């Protein structure tokens, strides 16, 4: 019975910490983009078309090849 006097407050502190950690992760943007990491593994990093798409997604100017 005396162990409950220790375990219940410890459990409540862990729950409060887990809830705080979840809200911190949401506020810091950890869950903003859930689809890109799953699709990123499908592309070859050395492919020039993939690099151009990454630059375009980041709003960086792309270098166009001249004929």
């Amino acid at each position: 019975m005396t162990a409950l006097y220790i375990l219940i407050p410890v459990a409540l502190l862990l729950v409060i910490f887990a809830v705080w950690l979840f809200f911190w992760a949401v506020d810091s943007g950890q869950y903003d983009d859930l689809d890109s990491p799953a699709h990123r593994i499908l592309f070859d990093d050395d492919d020039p078309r993939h690099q151009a798409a990454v630059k375009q997604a980041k709003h960086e100017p792309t270098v166009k090849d001249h004929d």
Side-chain angles (χ1 to χ4, degrees):
M1 184 69 178
T2 58
L4 290 177
Y5 294 131
I6 295 172
L7 292 177
I8 290 175
V10 169
L12 288 174
L13 288 174
L14 285 175
V15 167
I16 290 170
F17 177 72
V19 169
W20 174 81
L21 188 64
F22 171 74
F23 282 110
W24 172 81
V26 169
D27 288 339
S28 66
Q30 295 291 320
Y31 298 107
D32 285 347
D33 185 15
L34 298 176
D35 293 330
S36 292
H39 295 287
R40 190 178 325 154
I41 197 167
L42 300 175
F43 300 107
D44 184 20
D45 290 339
D46 297 331
D47 186 11
R49 293 177 295 170
H50 174 66
Q51 293 298 326
V54 169
K55 287 181 183 177
Q56 184 179 9
K58 290 181 180 179
H59 301 292
E60 296 177 358
T62 59
V63 177
K64 294 184 179 180
D65 294 332
H66 295 287
D67 293 323

